[in-house]
Amino acid sequence: MAGEEQRTPDELSDQRITGMTMRQAMAIGVAHGLRGPLLAGSLAAFVAAYLATRYLVRYFENRTLIPFAVYCTLAGFGGLAYFTIA
């Protein structure tokens, strides 16, 4: 079809799996009276992911990953110390 981009088999299977998961989650939610909380949780997760992605894209346009590298190094040494002592 004109103007429609071709999708790889992986992208198509991802869409099918996501669709099936959403239908199954809604069916379980309706059966157990959880449709409202399920929709509210999904919406909250979407908003949080959108805002976090937007913030990180803006942050990394002007800054580097050095603070994250320092954090990972300290967390790694902390974990190593904890599991060596324990």
Side-chain angles (χ1 to χ4, degrees), residues 4-81:
E4 190 175 317
E5 76 179 59
Q6 294 292 320
R7 292 192 170 98
T8 66
D10 287 340
E11 291 172 329
L12 291 174
S13 66
D14 288 346
Q15 288 177 348
R16 288 186 187 120
I17 291 169
T18 301
M20 288 186 293
T21 302
M22 293 295 288
R23 280 194 299 270
Q24 188 175 22
M26 291 305 290
I28 291 169
V30 169
H32 296 289
L34 299 174
R35 188 175 195 161
L38 184 64
L39 290 173
S42 296
L43 181 64
F46 172 78
V47 170
Y50 175 78
L51 292 175
T53 302
R54 197 169 114 185
Y55 168 77
L56 286 173
V57 166
R58 285 184 181 177
Y59 180 85
F60 289 126
E61 285 177 350
N62 300 319
R63 295 178 181 90
T64 66
L65 286 171
I66 291 175
F68 181 68
V70 171
Y71 160 76
C72 288
T73 303
L74 293 175
F77 281 131
L80 184 64

